Amino acid sequence: MSPLLRFAPSPNGRLHLGHAYSALLNDAVARQLGGVWLLRIEDIDPARATPDNIAGIEEDLAWLGLDWPRPVRRQSDHMADYAATAERLRSAGLLYPCRCSRGDIAAAITAQEAETGKPWPRDPDGSPLYPGTCRALRPADIDRLVSGGVPLAWRLNMADAVAAAGPVSWRAFELAGRIWAVAARPERWGDVVLVRRDTPTSYTLSVVLDDSVQAITHVVRGGDLEAATDIHALLARLLGLSAPLYHHHAILTDAQGQKLSKSRASMSLAAMRQAGESPATIRKRLGFG
Ligand SMILES: [Zn+2]
C-alpha cells in the first residue's frame, strides 16, 4: 500500500505559520516515504467555516509551493456518513444524550468539589471531566428527550466503550523509520461528546472515519492531539475501522512561548505575503529551506 498522508485544517480563520509548518512537514514526510498527502477541509463548524477561509487555505498552500491531488475532501459533504457512524455506536448502546449546558456542568462539578473537598479530575487538556449527570437517563427519558426537539449532544459512555473494546493501542512512527505501540488510555477523557449539539458530528468522530475512508496510512499532526489519539484508536477499534500510524510534531510557539494560533503576535500567511515575505523565506524559517 502506497503511503498516504493528509493535512487537515479547519477553516476557522486564515492559516498561520504553525499550519505552514505542519503542511510542509506532511509534504516532506510524504516525499521521504514515496507517497502523497491529501488536503482535507475539516469544516464541520457551520458558523465558522466561511467560503473565504476555505478558499484561503488552498491559496496559502499553493503560495507556499505545495500541491495535492484533487478533489479535496470536505467534511461538510459527508455529514450523513458521520451521522450513520454515530448511529452505529448509539445502537450498540455506547452513546447517551446529554442536555447539560456548560453552566450545568460547572455547577455539578462545583457541588462535587464542595462535597468531597477534592478537585474534580481533569482530562489531558485540562478541562474537567463530564460529571456524568445524563449517564443514568432511562430509555423512556431518552425517548422523551429525543422526541422533544431540543438540540442534544451525544456522549460516549467511556466505561462501557473501554469494556467493549478491550485493551487498545495505537502505533507511533518516527521519521527515521522506527514504529512502536502506544497503549491507549482513553478513560482519561471521560464521557466525551461525539455528536455536538450544533452539528451532527464532532472533530473526534469525523477524523476517525475520514482517516479510514481515505485510507490514510501515516498521520503527521501537532502534539496537541497526541493524548486524544487514545480516543481515536478506541473509536477505530469499536467501529472496526483501519487506523493509521501517527507522528506528533512539536507545536510552534512565539517568543513568549504562546501557541501560535492563540498568540496575538502570530500573523497569518496571507498577512505575511502582503507584507512582502516570500515563500522561500518562510520555508527557510521553518526549517524546510
Ligand atoms: Zn448531560
Side-chain angles (χ1 to χ4, degrees):
M1 200 156 51
S2 182
L4 195 57
L5 289 75
R6 88 298 197 281
F7 173 64
S10 295
N12 297 340
R14 292 301 293 253
L15 299 185
H16 55 71
L17 270 186
H19 294 113
Y21 176 75
S22 201
L24 288 165
L25 187 60
N26 268 281
D27 188 65
V29 174
R31 282 167 199 274
Q32 185 189 316
L33 296 172
V36 295
W37 62 275
L38 306 176
L39 175 63
R40 179 198 304 155
I41 303 293
E42 301 205 329
D43 58 346
I44 60 166
D45 210 334
R48 297 172 76 193
T50 67
D52 273 2
N53 285 339
I54 294 171
I57 287 172
E58 301 210 33
E59 194 183 311
D60 292 340
L61 294 174
W63 177 71
L64 280 173
L66 295 170
D67 198 13
W68 55 91
R70 273 75 172 182
V72 168
R73 183 177 174 94
R74 283 184 54 173
Q75 289 187 327
S76 58
D77 292 335
H78 302 278
M79 289 300 198
D81 298 333
Y82 306 134
T85 306
E87 188 51 43
R88 287 181 57 203
L89 295 168
R90 197 179 285 123
S91 46
L94 296 176
L95 299 188
Y96 62 87
C98 174
R99 58 188 159 179
C100 300
S101 65
R102 279 171 199 272
D104 294 337
I105 294 173
I109 288 166
T110 307
Q112 282 291 328
E113 288 182 331
E115 200 179 306
T116 62
K118 287 186 203 147
W120 187 252
R122 286 170 183 266
D123 70 23
D125 282 350
S127 299
L129 297 189
Y130 176 65
T133 319
C134 296
R135 196 187 300 132
L137 289 173
R138 290 165 308 173
D141 300 326
I142 294 179
D143 288 346
R144 199 173 322 116
L145 271 179
V146 171
S147 59
V150 181
L152 296 165
W154 289 79
R155 292 183 178 273
L156 183 67
N157 184 320
M158 184 59 82
D160 287 358
V162 166
V168 172
S169 63
W170 49 270
R171 289 173 305 154
F173 77 101
E174 248 172 21
L175 306 185
R178 189 171 74 97
I179 293 172
W180 68 100
V182 178
R185 291 181 293 135
E187 61 280 1
R188 294 183 289 163
W189 292 94
D191 291 356
V192 289
V193 169
L194 290 189
V195 178
R196 281 165 35 177
R197 200 184 298 254
D198 59 338
T199 188
T201 184
S202 58
Y203 168 75
T204 309
L205 187 66
S206 299
V207 80
V208 170
L209 187 69
D210 286 356
D211 283 340
S212 178
V213 165
Q214 292 192 286
I216 301 301
T217 60
H218 295 71
V219 168
V220 172
R221 63 183 178 185
D224 52 343
L225 286 165
E226 186 162 4
T229 308
D230 290 2
I231 315 171
H232 304 164
L234 171 67
L235 291 182
R237 167 72 65 82
L238 289 169
L239 293 163
L241 300 174
S242 60
L245 303 175
Y246 293 93
H247 174 81
H248 293 101
H249 62 73
I251 297 293
L252 290 196
T253 54
D254 65 14
Q256 285 75 43
Q258 280 264 48
K259 195 175 154 184
L260 275 184
S261 56
K262 304 260 170 68
S263 160
R264 289 182 58 218
S266 76
M267 279 173 93
S268 69
L269 295 175
M272 290 177 171
R273 180 166 75 229
Q274 275 175 0
E277 285 227 47
S278 75
T281 24
I282 287 176
R283 281 169 168 267
K284 204 164 189 176
R285 194 159 143 190
L286 295 172
F288 298 93

